[in-house]
Amino acid sequence: MILVVAEQREGKLNRASWEAIAAAQHAGGPVKIAVLGSAVDAVASELAAAEAAEVIVVDAPALEQYTSDGHVMTLAALIAEEQPSQVFLPHTYQTRDFAPALAARLQRALITDVTALKAPRGAMVFVRPVFQGKMSAEVTAEGPSPHFVTCQIGAFRADAAKRGSAPASVRKAAIDVDASKIRQKPEAPFKEAKQAVDLSQAERIVAVGRGIKAQEHLEVAEQLAQALGAEIAASRPICDAGWLPMDRQIGSSGQTVAPKLYLALGISGAIQHLVGMKGARTIVAINKDPEAPIFEIADYGIEGDLFEVVPALIAELKK
Amino acid sequence: MKIAVCIKQVVTREWQLRVNDSKTWIRDQDASFELNEPDAYALEEALRLKEKHSGEVVVCSAGPARASSVLREALARGADRAIHVEADALASADAFAVADALAAALRDEKFDLVLTGLQSDDQGFGQVGVVLAEKLGMPHATIIMEVKAEEGGLRVKRELEGGWFQWMTLPLPALLTIQSGINQLRYATLKGIMAAKKKEIRKVTPSAAASPAQKMLAIHFPEKGKKTQMLPGSPAEAAKALVQKLREDARVIQ
Ligand SMILES: Cc1cc2nc3c(=O)[nH]c(=O)nc-3n(C[C@H](O)[C@H](O)[C@H](O)COP(=O)(O)OP(=O)(O)OC[C@H]3O[C@@H](n4cnc5c(N)ncnc54)[C@H](O)[C@@H]3O)c2cc1C
């Protein structure tokens, strides 16, 4: 049996949970789904639509706000009871925060950021990115089960998750969650001062990455944006360096956009960037590295030096 | 505050990746190396905390002999001393093996705070810091964008997805995994580089390697999924072709 740990915040299911469910169903064998929190009945019945042996709810006041200690303690107890062969989770920031501690506490293997499953002869082979997505590794999990597997966001399709002909049964697990053992004291999530720009409505976006090399070179990207009637945006390192404000960052920590045209200049295409822009209708990548992962999702690519290609593009647009 | 910073040496971003003969890792004898980027931010944060609250900053790396160059660099930036858990196998070991090696080296020193980067640019497990916290029996918090030392503990700002953040407090000793961009990095000065030559790098041999949790079968360049139309030619020719495609085929510009 594969146990999927779904994720919710304030009673709202994280959609990536469906991706983990799809991956677990694809792996084969019966699937159970666990959800932790306080007053999460609505989430549980939403999950019960999945083709699953059952949905297990751990409902405790101490789990109302997510904490690593709360999750590790609860899931360690649940796993001891359920004895799954594998535990699948979505590779969210929350999973990153607790799954390694859980695997370490139980002394079981954890394979993170998995993009595909292969089971040629028995032992399942996991595909995961290395070198920031420039290469893929094929790995196996060693040692006794259960093995923990986190699924890269977007790698498995949420809409491929099979739904049952009737809702799965929902059961409350009787697990004591000792609040006094939780060492982290979280406060309410918040957003920084209201964002000045909302890029989600932009029709065209020119995004710059580390290939731009210096702040003074942003001008050439801005000229291109102007010629295209586009907004300017960036990958994380550009905002980290303070060359553009944080609210122009595209990706998992920044904005998610779906413009008609997304033109990526000197961006390698790490997954945390791709999740923010892969919904764009037409993607253009200009990069001097022909192996850059951004070319895997681009519609049009130019392999070349952006400092030569961009001026040529501006000239062409002005013709 | 006595602070340990765990740092890793990884191949530089500019190095053209090449696979070794057995196709199980890269040809790292040909590679150039640098300090893993999030680890550089972790080191900077530790130096800033020391400047504010005094104490000591100790850098620790688990890696092959060549990793001593990132320790030397950290000493030049201002770390007080270094610990090098040295073994060739640590160059491509899994997260549990690395965390084991680090835990053994750090445990007896009773640090108040342990910092790591949130993940490495090569393996990208995103596990070592959190596993290390568990092994040291410390509470942890991940993807940290601000650290404030308070009475008896820390108040830290976690990054959540989609532009959300969250403050949380936790008691010391604790472990934090640091996100890139938390601060602005300093670079080593000539004076720092000279001073580093006199600072200690203590070598430690890891005890018998724990049995692996993950086995690497092969690495390869990803198969191309979507059909990207590559536009060849000189910059002017490629630009011309692109503008035409965007106007006439994709119709996303006028
Ligand atoms: C938890 C977490 C959250 C993250 N959140 C985000 C996020 O929200 N958004 C985000 O973008 N990243 C995010 N990241 C970082 C992400 O993993 C990558 O590190 C980042 O996206 C890389 O940015 P880049 O492509 O600009 O830089 P690099 O990866 O350094 O790529 C630079 C590219 O420029 C090319 N280049 C260099 N010079 C030239 C030239 N002259 N002409 C043409 N091409 C050139 C290179 O070939 C290379 O492909 C996150 C990471 C983590 C771990």
Side-chain angles (χ1 to χ4, degrees), chain B:
Chain B
M1 205 185 299
K2 186 171 170 183
I3 308 172
V5 187
C6 301
I7 63 177
K8 184 176 191 182
Q9 189 193 40
V10 296
V11 294
T12 57
R13 240 174 255 107
E14 287 71 35
W15 187 62
Q16 195 73 46
L17 293 168
R18 260 164 299 170
V19 180
N20 67 7
D21 293 338
S22 60
K23 299 198 165 48
T24 50
W25 192 237
I26 50 163
R27 281 179 61 83
D28 57 8
Q29 65 269 36
D30 300 344
S32 54
F33 293 94
E34 65 186 0
L35 177 56
N36 183 47
E37 186 171 53
D39 304 355
Y41 284 99
L43 171 63
E44 178 64 42
E45 200 56 27
L47 295 173
R48 288 176 188 223
L49 285 167
K50 181 190 154 179
E51 280 157 11
K52 237 195 206 147
H53 306 286
S54 81
E56 188 185 20
V57 174
V58 180
V59 282
C60 184
S61 188
R66 58 171 164 73
S68 63
S69 71
V70 294
L71 290 170
R72 193 61 72 190
E73 185 185 334
L75 294 172
R77 289 193 199 187
D80 298 298
R81 61 188 166 90
I83 304 172
H84 184 177
V85 190
E86 191 186 322
D88 285 346
L90 289 168
S92 58
D94 71 36
F96 279 32
V98 174
D100 260 340
L102 293 170
L106 300 181
R107 188 170 283 120
D108 294 338
E109 289 224 31
K110 305 265 178 283
F111 287 98
D112 300 306
L113 179 62
V114 180
L115 302 183
T116 71
L118 84 169
Q119 68 180 47
S120 62
D121 286 347
D122 54 2
Q123 295 265 26
F125 294 129
Q127 297 187 38
V128 169
V130 179
V131 172
L132 179 59
E134 179 67 23
K135 288 187 187 287
L136 295 175
M138 292 180 181
H140 71 269
T142 56
I143 322 190
I144 297 304
M145 284 297 278
E146 207 174 321
V147 182
K148 289 181 181 166
E150 290 185 342
E151 219 13 65
L154 294 173
R155 187 158 178 265
V156 299
K157 187 167 130 192
R158 287 183 63 209
E159 181 176 297
L160 310 178
E161 278 123 341
W164 288 84
F165 296 92
Q166 176 179 44
W167 285 98
M168 98 174 356
T169 49
L170 63 173
L172 290 173
L175 183 144
L176 305 174
T177 80
I178 300 296
Q179 168 69 301
S180 291
I182 182 175
N183 48 40
Q184 294 295 323
L185 301 176
R186 79 187 67 189
Y187 291 94
T189 58
L190 190 60
K191 199 168 142 235
I193 294 168
M194 297 310 288
K197 293 194 171 136
K198 295 195 205 87
K199 291 180 184 169
E200 179 202 24
I201 300 184
R202 184 160 62 87
K203 287 210 168 127
V204 181
T205 324
S207 49
S211 48
Q214 172 173 318
K215 197 164 113 196
M216 180 82 88
L217 304 179
I219 62 167
H220 51 77
F221 288 100
E223 295 102 43
K224 297 258 182 296
K226 189 164 161 182
K227 281 267 170 297
T228 301
Q229 265 192 56
M230 294 303 287
L231 306 172
S234 68
E237 287 161 349
K240 185 163 185 220
L242 177 61
V243 171
Q244 193 182 1
K245 298 270 181 207
L246 295 181
R247 283 200 176 122
E248 290 164 21
D249 297 351
R251 299 189 186 200
V252 289
I253 56 171
Q254 261 111 48

Side-chain angles (χ1 to χ4, degrees), chain A:
Chain A
M1 179 268 291
I2 300 181
L3 182 68
V4 177
V5 181
E7 178 171 322
Q8 62 85 27
R9 190 165 97 199
E10 285 165 11
K12 233 183 126 242
L13 183 68
N14 186 330
R15 234 185 88 81
S17 305
W18 283 108
E19 300 177 6
I21 292 168
Q25 290 173 337
H26 175 67
V31 170
K32 291 187 182 183
I33 304 166
V35 60
L36 281 56
S38 172
V40 287
D41 291 351
V43 175
S45 37
E46 198 180 335
L47 289 166
E51 189 180 285
E54 64 177 347
V55 174
I56 306 170
V57 181
V58 187
D59 198 317
L63 297 175
E64 187 183 344
Q65 283 252 39
Y66 163 78
T67 58
S68 172
D69 281 345
H71 261 58
V72 171
M73 202 171 7
T74 307
L75 287 169
L78 185 67
I79 287 164
E81 256 172 41
E82 295 295 327
Q83 305 270 326
S85 58
Q86 285 166 322
V87 180
F88 277 43
L89 311 103
H91 192 66
T92 58
Y93 292 14
Q94 182 167 307
T95 294
R96 285 165 165 276
D97 192 57
F98 74 84
L102 176 61
R105 187 162 305 177
L106 302 178
Q107 300 191 17
R108 295 294 184 270
L110 163 63
I111 313 289
T112 47
D113 211 12
V114 167
T115 56
L117 309 171
K118 292 184 179 175
R121 280 163 251 101
M124 189 175 287
V125 175
F126 303 95
V127 183
R128 60 182 305 278
V130 286
F131 301 101
Q132 299 226 297
K134 289 181 199 127
M135 298 194 89
S136 302
E138 297 193 358
V139 303
T140 50
E142 303 293 304
S145 64
H147 298 147
F148 292 83
V149 178
T150 73
C151 305
Q152 182 177 94
I153 307 301
F156 300 89
R157 293 179 58 113
D159 56 12
K162 285 183 259 168
R163 316 281 152 148
S165 48
S169 64
V170 176
R171 177 169 63 87
K172 289 223 159 125
I175 291 174
D176 272 339
V177 189
D178 182 353
S180 72
K181 290 222 174 82
I182 297 178
R183 296 165 292 182
Q184 300 94 351
K185 306 283 175 243
E187 298 168 29
F190 65 96
K191 278 205 166 188
E192 293 290 11
K194 196 161 166 42
Q195 288 175 345
V197 277
D198 178 11
L199 294 174
S200 68
Q201 300 306 316
E203 293 219 335
R204 288 177 282 271
I205 290 176
V206 169
V208 292
R210 197 170 352 223
I212 201 83
K213 296 217 167 59
Q215 186 166 20
E216 58 267 28
H217 297 155
L218 280 178
E219 205 180 313
V220 58
E222 268 152 10
Q223 284 166 6
L224 177 61
Q226 207 164 34
L228 287 166
E231 285 280 353
I232 195 99
S235 67
R236 178 168 195 127
I238 302 304
C239 302
D240 282 349
W243 298 351
L244 280 173
M246 262 278 281
D247 53 12
R248 295 205 178 253
Q249 179 177 315
I250 304 298
S252 60
S253 303
Q255 298 209 37
T256 299
V257 296
K260 285 201 292 194
L261 172 65
Y262 191 91
L263 204 150
L265 301 176
I267 292 179
S268 64
I271 179 64
Q272 294 87 3
H273 187 79
L274 300 186
V275 292
M277 47 66 76
K278 63 180 183 201
R281 180 135 63 100
T282 301
I283 298 171
V284 178
I286 300 173
N287 196 305
K288 65 177 187 188
D289 175 9
E291 303 286 354
I294 189 83
F295 283 130
E296 277 158 61
I297 67 149
D299 298 280
Y300 302 110
I302 297 178
E303 175 192 339
D305 185 339
L306 74 92
F307 297 109
E308 292 174 11
V309 176
V310 172
L313 258 178
I314 296 170
E316 187 64 34
L317 285 162
K318 286 193 176 150
K319 269 187 193 162

